[in-house]
mmCIF file of all heavy atoms in Angstrom:
data_model
loop_
_atom_site.group_PDB
_atom_site.id
_atom_site.type_symbol
_atom_site.label_atom_id
_atom_site.label_comp_id
_atom_site.label_asym_id
_atom_site.label_seq_id
_atom_site.Cartn_x
_atom_site.Cartn_y
_atom_site.Cartn_z
ATOM 1 N N PHE A 9 112.207 81.357 126.671
ATOM 2 C CA PHE A 9 112.933 82.037 127.712
ATOM 3 C C PHE A 9 114.155 82.801 127.134
ATOM 4 O O PHE A 9 114.465 83.894 127.488
ATOM 5 C CB PHE A 9 113.408 81.044 128.768
ATOM 6 C CG PHE A 9 114.300 81.607 129.847
ATOM 7 C CD1 PHE A 9 113.735 82.429 130.834
ATOM 8 C CD2 PHE A 9 115.671 81.416 129.842
ATOM 9 C CE1 PHE A 9 114.567 82.992 131.804
ATOM 10 C CE2 PHE A 9 116.488 81.980 130.785
ATOM 11 C CZ PHE A 9 115.923 82.767 131.788
ATOM 12 N N LYS A 18 118.213 93.635 124.592
ATOM 13 C CA LYS A 18 118.143 94.573 123.460
ATOM 14 C C LYS A 18 117.456 95.853 123.913
ATOM 15 O O LYS A 18 117.835 96.972 123.539
ATOM 16 C CB LYS A 18 117.460 93.953 122.257
ATOM 17 C CG LYS A 18 118.309 92.936 121.575
ATOM 18 C CD LYS A 18 117.567 92.248 120.426
ATOM 19 C CE LYS A 18 117.447 93.142 119.226
ATOM 20 N NZ LYS A 18 116.935 92.430 118.042
ATOM 21 N N PHE A 29 121.895 109.362 122.231
ATOM 22 C CA PHE A 29 121.409 110.227 121.142
ATOM 23 C C PHE A 29 120.954 111.566 121.707
ATOM 24 O O PHE A 29 121.125 112.602 121.073
ATOM 25 C CB PHE A 29 120.247 109.532 120.424
ATOM 26 C CG PHE A 29 120.648 108.340 119.583
ATOM 27 C CD1 PHE A 29 119.688 107.463 119.148
ATOM 28 C CD2 PHE A 29 121.972 108.081 119.270
ATOM 29 C CE1 PHE A 29 120.049 106.362 118.367
ATOM 30 C CE2 PHE A 29 122.355 106.997 118.525
ATOM 31 C CZ PHE A 29 121.371 106.109 118.062
ATOM 32 N N MET A 39 128.798 103.756 118.114
ATOM 33 C CA MET A 39 128.547 102.478 118.781
ATOM 34 C C MET A 39 129.441 102.338 120.030
ATOM 35 O O MET A 39 129.039 101.752 121.030
ATOM 36 C CB MET A 39 128.747 101.318 117.820
ATOM 37 C CG MET A 39 127.746 101.265 116.675
ATOM 38 S SD MET A 39 126.022 100.923 117.190
ATOM 39 C CE MET A 39 125.985 99.164 117.010
ATOM 40 N N PHE A 57 123.182 94.258 117.193
ATOM 41 C CA PHE A 57 122.827 95.176 116.127
ATOM 42 C C PHE A 57 123.993 95.242 115.119
ATOM 43 O O PHE A 57 125.132 95.420 115.523
ATOM 44 C CB PHE A 57 122.571 96.587 116.685
ATOM 45 C CG PHE A 57 121.572 96.596 117.804
ATOM 46 C CD1 PHE A 57 121.993 96.668 119.123
ATOM 47 C CD2 PHE A 57 120.194 96.547 117.550
ATOM 48 C CE1 PHE A 57 121.095 96.678 120.173
ATOM 49 C CE2 PHE A 57 119.281 96.568 118.609
ATOM 50 C CZ PHE A 57 119.734 96.631 119.933
ATOM 51 N N LYS A 60 124.853 101.095 113.560
ATOM 52 C CA LYS A 60 124.089 102.125 114.262
ATOM 53 C C LYS A 60 122.729 102.342 113.592
ATOM 54 O O LYS A 60 121.696 102.555 114.283
ATOM 55 C CB LYS A 60 124.848 103.457 114.301
ATOM 56 C CG LYS A 60 124.190 104.523 115.150
ATOM 57 C CD LYS A 60 125.089 105.767 115.330
ATOM 58 C CE LYS A 60 125.241 106.513 114.033
ATOM 59 N NZ LYS A 60 125.880 107.857 114.290
ATOM 60 N N GLU A 86 87.951 99.155 131.512
ATOM 61 C CA GLU A 86 86.522 99.415 131.761
ATOM 62 C C GLU A 86 86.341 100.868 132.117
ATOM 63 O O GLU A 86 86.120 101.229 133.304
ATOM 64 C CB GLU A 86 86.023 98.486 132.878
ATOM 65 C CG GLU A 86 86.034 97.025 132.587
ATOM 66 C CD GLU A 86 85.074 96.656 131.425
ATOM 67 O OE1 GLU A 86 84.022 97.312 131.348
ATOM 68 O OE2 GLU A 86 85.388 95.717 130.662
ATOM 69 N N ALA A 89 84.348 106.021 127.116
ATOM 70 C CA ALA A 89 85.193 106.275 125.938
ATOM 71 C C ALA A 89 85.955 107.556 126.017
ATOM 72 O O ALA A 89 87.143 107.637 125.563
ATOM 73 C CB ALA A 89 84.283 106.289 124.693
ATOM 74 N N LEU A 93 90.145 108.031 125.770
ATOM 75 C CA LEU A 93 90.812 108.946 124.852
ATOM 76 C C LEU A 93 91.727 109.911 125.600
ATOM 77 O O LEU A 93 92.843 110.181 125.184
ATOM 78 C CB LEU A 93 89.825 109.699 124.001
ATOM 79 C CG LEU A 93 90.424 110.627 122.913
ATOM 80 C CD1 LEU A 93 91.320 109.867 121.970
ATOM 81 C CD2 LEU A 93 89.331 111.367 122.150
ATOM 82 N N LEU A 105 107.861 112.611 125.116
ATOM 83 C CA LEU A 105 108.747 113.557 125.771
ATOM 84 C C LEU A 105 109.803 112.846 126.581
ATOM 85 O O LEU A 105 110.940 113.321 126.684
ATOM 86 C CB LEU A 105 107.932 114.510 126.676
ATOM 87 C CG LEU A 105 107.098 115.553 125.929
ATOM 88 C CD1 LEU A 105 106.336 116.426 126.932
ATOM 89 C CD2 LEU A 105 107.960 116.407 125.000
ATOM 90 N N SER A 110 114.698 109.992 120.382
ATOM 91 C CA SER A 110 114.427 109.009 119.362
ATOM 92 C C SER A 110 113.268 109.441 118.479
ATOM 93 O O SER A 110 113.365 109.348 117.209
ATOM 94 C CB SER A 110 114.123 107.643 119.982
ATOM 95 O OG SER A 110 113.761 106.726 118.988
ATOM 96 N N TYR A 136 98.633 102.332 114.952
ATOM 97 C CA TYR A 136 98.421 103.233 116.060
ATOM 98 C C TYR A 136 97.273 104.222 115.761
ATOM 99 O O TYR A 136 96.431 104.484 116.612
ATOM 100 C CB TYR A 136 99.718 104.029 116.316
ATOM 101 C CG TYR A 136 99.725 104.885 117.541
ATOM 102 C CD1 TYR A 136 99.666 104.315 118.833
ATOM 103 C CD2 TYR A 136 99.836 106.289 117.464
ATOM 104 C CE1 TYR A 136 99.656 105.100 119.970
ATOM 105 C CE2 TYR A 136 99.841 107.076 118.602
ATOM 106 C CZ TYR A 136 99.752 106.455 119.839
ATOM 107 O OH TYR A 136 99.749 107.242 120.969
ATOM 108 N N ILE A 144 87.656 107.234 119.153
ATOM 109 C CA ILE A 144 86.721 108.347 118.759
ATOM 110 C C ILE A 144 85.378 107.806 118.342
ATOM 111 O O ILE A 144 84.316 108.347 118.777
ATOM 112 C CB ILE A 144 87.364 109.201 117.646
ATOM 113 C CG1 ILE A 144 88.684 109.847 118.152
ATOM 114 C CG2 ILE A 144 86.397 110.262 117.169
ATOM 115 C CD1 ILE A 144 89.474 110.494 117.037
ATOM 116 N N GLN A 171 103.728 117.639 117.771
ATOM 117 C CA GLN A 171 104.355 118.966 117.654
ATOM 118 C C GLN A 171 104.942 119.428 118.999
ATOM 119 O O GLN A 171 105.809 120.301 119.017
ATOM 120 C CB GLN A 171 103.306 119.974 117.169
ATOM 121 C CG GLN A 171 103.879 121.329 116.773
ATOM 122 C CD GLN A 171 104.839 121.270 115.570
ATOM 123 O OE1 GLN A 171 104.712 120.395 114.771
ATOM 124 N NE2 GLN A 171 105.764 122.196 115.502
ATOM 125 N N SER A 177 109.966 122.578 126.678
ATOM 126 C CA SER A 177 111.290 122.718 127.325
ATOM 127 C C SER A 177 111.263 122.108 128.711
ATOM 128 O O SER A 177 110.377 122.449 129.499
ATOM 129 C CB SER A 177 111.681 124.218 127.447
ATOM 130 O OG SER A 177 112.829 124.350 128.228
ATOM 131 N N GLU A 186 102.473 117.206 134.031
ATOM 132 C CA GLU A 186 101.581 118.359 134.038
ATOM 133 C C GLU A 186 101.288 118.867 132.625
ATOM 134 O O GLU A 186 100.152 119.242 132.328
ATOM 135 C CB GLU A 186 102.226 119.467 134.870
ATOM 136 C CG GLU A 186 102.265 119.186 136.371
ATOM 137 C CD GLU A 186 103.094 120.186 137.130
ATOM 138 O OE1 GLU A 186 103.980 120.823 136.555
ATOM 139 O OE2 GLU A 186 102.829 120.340 138.350
ATOM 140 N N MET A 187 102.331 118.898 131.801
ATOM 141 C CA MET A 187 102.127 119.358 130.417
ATOM 142 C C MET A 187 101.193 118.408 129.678
ATOM 143 O O MET A 187 100.301 118.827 128.949
ATOM 144 C CB MET A 187 103.472 119.423 129.700
ATOM 145 C CG MET A 187 103.388 119.889 128.269
ATOM 146 S SD MET A 187 102.738 121.601 128.144
ATOM 147 C CE MET A 187 104.035 122.536 128.841
ATOM 148 N N GLU A 189 98.837 116.492 130.904
ATOM 149 C CA GLU A 189 97.483 116.642 131.382
ATOM 150 C C GLU A 189 96.844 117.928 130.877
ATOM 151 O O GLU A 189 95.652 117.953 130.516
ATOM 152 C CB GLU A 189 97.485 116.625 132.905
ATOM 153 C CG GLU A 189 97.808 115.282 133.502
ATOM 154 C CD GLU A 189 97.977 115.276 135.013
ATOM 155 O OE1 GLU A 189 98.040 116.405 135.567
ATOM 156 O OE2 GLU A 189 98.004 114.198 135.600
ATOM 157 N N ILE A 191 97.608 119.586 128.010
ATOM 158 C CA ILE A 191 97.332 119.432 126.575
ATOM 159 C C ILE A 191 96.161 118.512 126.327
ATOM 160 O O ILE A 191 95.302 118.808 125.474
ATOM 161 C CB ILE A 191 98.594 118.914 125.858
ATOM 162 C CG1 ILE A 191 99.694 119.987 125.909
ATOM 163 C CG2 ILE A 191 98.262 118.608 124.407
ATOM 164 C CD1 ILE A 191 101.025 119.502 125.389
#
Side-chain angles (χ1 to χ4, degrees):
F9 175 75
K18 288 176 76 170
F29 290 165
M39 294 293 267
F57 308 99
K60 187 172 71 168
E86 295 295 328
L93 182 58
L105 289 179
S110 176
Y136 188 66
I144 297 170
Q171 190 64 27
S177 171
E186 290 170 334
M187 181 60 69
E189 290 174 348
I191 294 172

